[in-house]
Amino acid sequence: MTQLARKMKTYNNLYLKIISLRNLILAHKKARKGKTKKEYVLEFEKNLAYNLKILYDELRNQTYNPQPLKTFILRDPKTRKISVSDFRDRIVHHALCNIIEPIFDKTFIYDSCANRKRKGTLFAINRFDKFHRKATHNLSKEAFYLKADIKHYFQNVDKGILLRIIQRKIKDEKTINLIILILNNFENDKGMPLGNLTSQFFANVYLNELDYFVKHKLKARYYIRYVDDFVILSFSKKQLIIWKELINLFLKENLKLELHSKKSKINSLSKGVDFIGFRSFYYFKLLRKRNLKEIILKIEEYKKGNLSKEKILEIFQGWHAYARWANSFERSIYIFWGFYITFINIL
């Protein structure tokens, strides 16, 4: 039994909380956010009370079955295969996460930054900057980084291992059966679909095992993870080389994953490290070109009618708050004013 397993408090009788009408109503509000003009949302809301009651009855009677996922290719600009759930299934995903996410979040390390309340990219940037200063003694000494990426992470998550991790904490059989339904809705024997709320949550649950290994077994002080990307800073390059091998071994033996050989490397911080959209050097950081392309593509999606005004404004405000951390000031200002003119037209 691992140190993490011994510390865990277990939970029973969660299912009635998950399927309660109050929770389903809250889940519906979250699922519709930024999608209020989508045809499938409008259709569901034509008879909202009735549709939520039907969903509640199916969940209560355990006759609920999710619809097949709809898959498409998204280029933003990185090409990805996205599989999205039917709207009513997204409500169920939110209902599940509303109840069990706070339970697991208490077990997550402080520096697991993605898809968590009061965390995210800006939090990760601040933590990286703090660790950068500490590892280099306020930029006065040389330090090194291990920047790593897990190879094909979402496609390679082992559902059996994931379920065993969840069952260490959740003992409610009906809740486990609902989770199994959601996991088995993906057509492959292993992996989780990109594009689902539950996949984002389960991704943190799965890699929490790695987080505990790095923090409590290796005792790495300056470690940050954002989804399947992580970085460790140290004054010792030799130590990072050893840790990289031990991490890869842990991933293979315990989670059936491995580091991406081409995207996982060790180097001096003076050479710059790519992490959460920036290339960070000792005294400045640059915004990666891919991040500029992504916001441009989002604007184009809005113009095509694929994003609501509410959603595009939310995306832009978040992007601007993020991009302003870069020192490529002139380019950011130019982009900002170009988008500002676009948004004047939107408003």
Side-chain angles (χ1 to χ4, degrees), residues 145-149 229-232 263-265 273-275:
Y145 68 84
L146 163 60
K147 166 62 174 61
D149 178 286
D229 288 343
F230 65 86
V231 63
I232 306 176
K263 295 182 180 180
S264 302
K265 60 182 180 179
V273 52
D274 281 326
F275 188 55

Side-chain angles (χ1 to χ4, degrees), residues 110-324:
Y110 188 73
D111 292 308
S112 167
C113 302
N115 306 311
R116 297 178 66 193
K117 291 180 180 178
R118 295 177 293 278
K119 297 295 173 79
T121 53
L122 296 183
F123 175 87
I125 291 167
N126 278 320
R127 293 297 285 174
F128 179 84
D129 287 347
K130 181 178 181 178
F131 288 168
H132 193 178
R133 290 192 300 272
K134 286 192 171 186
T136 59
H137 295 270
N138 285 324
L139 310 180
S140 64
K141 295 183 178 180
E142 184 179 29
F144 301 88
Y145 68 84
L146 163 60
K147 166 62 174 61
D149 178 286
I150 296 174
K151 186 176 181 180
H152 305 313
Y153 173 53
F154 280 88
Q155 298 98 307
N156 287 322
V157 168
D158 186 285
K159 295 178 185 177
I161 295 174
L162 173 61
L163 197 59
R164 288 194 292 274
I165 294 169
I166 293 170
Q167 287 175 310
R168 293 205 304 251
K169 198 151 188 70
I170 304 298
K171 301 300 183 182
D172 184 341
E173 184 179 349
K174 290 182 178 179
T175 300
I176 292 297
N177 288 338
L178 178 59
I179 291 170
I180 290 171
L181 272 178
I182 292 170
L183 289 175
N184 288 345
N185 196 37
F186 192 42
E187 66 272 16
N188 297 338
D189 293 333
K190 64 178 181 177
M192 299 186 299
L194 285 170
N196 279 330
L197 173 71
T198 47
S199 296
Q200 297 172 6
F201 167 62
F202 291 143
N204 275 338
V205 172
Y206 202 71
L207 285 185
N208 193 39
E209 304 294 303
L210 170 66
D211 296 341
Y212 268 72
F213 175 74
V214 173
K215 294 294 292 183
H216 297 286
K217 295 294 184 181
L218 302 184
K219 300 189 182 302
R221 294 179 65 186
Y222 307 130
Y223 165 77
I224 307 171
R225 181 176 63 79
Y226 195 93
V227 194
D228 58 334
D229 288 343
F230 65 86
V231 63
I232 306 176
L233 308 185
S234 175
F235 65 89
S236 171
K237 186 176 183 179
K238 182 179 179 180
Q239 181 70 82
L240 290 176
I241 293 170
I242 295 170
W243 281 350
K244 181 182 178 182
E245 293 303 314
L246 290 174
I247 288 170
N248 209 21
L249 183 63
F250 174 85
L251 289 171
K252 289 178 180 178
E253 291 184 348
N254 293 274
L255 299 176
K256 295 186 180 179
L257 300 170
E258 62 179 308
L259 296 179
H260 198 300
S261 58
K262 294 182 179 179
K263 295 182 180 180
S264 302
K265 60 182 180 179
I266 296 168
N267 212 332
S268 170
L269 280 167
S270 63
K271 301 290 181 65
V273 52
D274 281 326
F275 188 55
I276 50 171
F278 295 100
R279 186 161 181 81
S280 297
F281 297 85
Y282 263 55
Y283 300 102
F284 63 95
K285 60 170 61 71
L286 301 177
L287 191 66
R288 293 173 64 187
K289 291 181 180 179
R290 192 175 82 185
N291 293 84
L292 300 176
K293 292 179 182 178
E294 284 177 359
I295 191 64
I296 292 170
L297 287 171
K298 294 297 183 185
I299 293 291
E300 292 303 315
E301 286 296 300
Y302 168 79
K303 290 178 179 178
K304 293 175 183 176
N306 295 329
L307 291 174
S308 67
K309 182 190 297 184
E310 176 189 14
K311 187 64 177 178
I312 193 64
L313 286 172
E314 178 186 333
I315 290 171
F316 177 73
Q317 288 165 358
W319 177 85
H320 184 250
Y322 167 78
R324 63 193 289 270

Side-chain angles (χ1 to χ4, degrees), residues 1-9 107 169 212 216:
M1 186 180 291
T2 67
Q3 179 183 5
L4 179 58
R6 287 195 297 271
K7 288 183 177 181
M8 276 192 172
K9 175 183 176 182
T107 71
K169 198 151 188 70
Y212 268 72
H216 297 286

Side-chain angles (χ1 to χ4, degrees), residues 61-75:
N61 298 326
Q62 293 186 278
T63 57
Y64 164 77
N65 276 298
Q67 295 295 311
L69 298 170
K70 294 181 180 178
T71 301
F72 59 92
I73 302 300
L74 183 65
R75 296 176 176 87

Side-chain angles (χ1 to χ4, degrees), residues 82-105:
I82 305 295
S83 298
V84 297
S85 296
D86 186 80
F87 182 65
R88 76 195 301 267
D89 296 327
R90 295 181 216 174
I91 295 173
V92 174
H93 295 176
H94 277 281
L96 175 68
C97 289
N98 284 347
I99 303 303
I100 71 170
E101 186 171 9
I103 293 170
F104 281 92
D105 193 77

